Amino acid sequence: MIDCTVIVTSFNALEYSKLFYESYKKFTKDPGVKLLWVDNASRDGTVEWLKKHDNDFDTILLHQNIGAPKARNLAVSNIDTEYFSLFDNDIVLTKIGWINRLIRTFENSEDCVAVAPAINALKDGTRYAFIDAPDPLYERFGLHAKMIDATFRYDEDISEYLNYYHRRLKKLPYKANIVLEGGGTVFKTDWFKKVGGYDSKITISHSGFTLQQKVNRDNGKTYVDPSVFVFHYGHATR
């Protein structure tokens, strides 16, 4: 049984949070996976919605927006699982067994510190789940322009995109300098705590890069497993 906490951070965007939670329930079946939701003082009904789920998952409701890096550090300080996975609240999962596949990479690679799923590129191509990788999605997908403003849920809405993706991109995990933020990346909890987590003084757009520097100094490796795909709506509420 997997020992992992899924950590979600949110600030407003309740509609997206509901989509994430629907996909989480549908595609996360391992009983060892827990959900911890940290809300950065939302004002759009998110807090009330989270309180209705008190019996479904744990929450940390903050009274001010402390930013995603600091909120993630706070969440990790409150968990005791072997692994944790970070999500922004505007992501949907797409496949049963996603967490099992990602954690399998740790079991097959002793030097693995973190592993991320593949993720769709956004409008300007600047936010994606990996950098310096051999197959950046925003360069490979002819369908990208069509998907920019689409409203995907999952299943039928996204099936054409997923099928195209799986035909085009290789399936085996590969080493890459991934952006270590909220795209579903799974971390070793002990390693994250040992290096002090995110630099809370750094803005969200650079926090993953500074964490990658800690990985490199520690001779760790980060991987992408393209057999797991998540869809990022990209509203980027912080």
Side-chain angles (χ1 to χ4, degrees):
M1 185 170 67
I2 290 174
D3 186 31
C4 181
T5 302
V6 172
I7 296 171
V8 183
T9 53
S10 61
F11 173 64
N12 295 328
L14 175 58
E15 178 183 358
Y16 293 99
S17 293
K18 291 179 178 178
L19 289 175
F20 168 82
Y21 185 53
E22 288 174 13
S23 72
Y24 174 83
K25 288 190 298 181
K26 182 169 185 176
F27 297 115
T28 310
K29 302 301 183 183
D30 194 294
V33 181
K34 308 172 185 177
L35 179 60
L36 173 60
W37 200 295
V38 185
D39 184 72
N40 262 323
S42 293
R43 301 181 297 274
D44 67 340
T46 295
V47 173
E48 292 74 15
W49 176 77
L50 288 171
K51 288 179 178 179
K52 292 179 181 178
H53 289 282
D54 279 346
N55 296 325
D56 302 322
F57 52 82
D58 293 329
T59 58
I60 298 176
L61 303 178
L62 302 174
H63 298 295
Q64 60 178 341
N65 189 342
I66 63 175
K70 190 177 291 186
R72 291 168 183 161
N73 287 344
L74 174 63
V76 175
S77 71
N78 280 272
I79 67 173
D80 58 4
T81 52
E82 184 176 3
Y83 304 100
F84 68 92
S85 181
L86 292 179
F87 282 91
D88 294 338
N89 64 322
D90 62 339
I91 288 176
V92 293
L93 297 159
T94 64
K95 191 172 187 178
I96 290 175
W98 67 274
I99 188 64
N100 308 73
R101 289 172 179 268
L102 293 177
I103 287 181
R104 193 179 304 156
T105 304
F106 293 100
E107 298 169 350
N108 294 332
S109 176
E110 293 183 358
D111 61 358
C112 180
V113 168
V115 56
I119 192 169
N120 60 296
L122 303 182
K123 282 188 178 180
D124 57 4
T126 61
R127 290 181 57 81
Y128 41 92
F130 43 87
I131 56 177
D132 300 328
D135 299 296
L137 297 185
Y138 74 96
E139 291 182 358
R140 291 180 60 84
F141 283 149
L143 292 181
H144 172 59
K146 178 181 176 182
M147 300 304 160
I148 285 176
D149 295 314
T151 303
F152 282 129
R153 305 288 175 164
Y154 32 76
D155 292 352
E156 294 82 5
D157 288 347
I158 203 172
S159 61
E160 180 183 357
Y161 186 75
L162 285 176
N163 291 338
Y164 183 82
Y165 163 78
H166 285 300
R167 288 197 305 269
R168 291 293 299 273
L169 198 60
K170 60 186 181 180
K171 302 293 183 67
L172 296 177
Y174 54 86
K175 294 178 184 178
N177 294 320
I178 58 177
V179 177
L180 301 176
E181 296 183 354
T185 301
V186 179
F187 295 82
K188 286 184 175 179
T189 304
D190 287 346
W191 177 86
F192 188 88
K193 290 180 177 180
K194 181 185 72 173
V195 302
Y198 290 106
D199 185 343
S200 58
K201 297 179 182 179
I202 302 296
T203 63
I204 182 64
S205 61
H206 294 93
S207 59
F209 294 103
T210 59
L211 189 59
Q212 182 70 52
Q213 291 174 342
K214 294 180 181 181
V215 173
N216 297 340
R217 287 196 297 266
D218 212 34
N219 295 316
K221 296 293 187 295
T222 53
Y223 290 81
V224 166
D225 184 347
S227 73
V228 181
F229 178 86
V230 298
F231 188 86
H232 188 189
Y233 281 92
H235 75 285
T237 59
R238 299 298 176 198

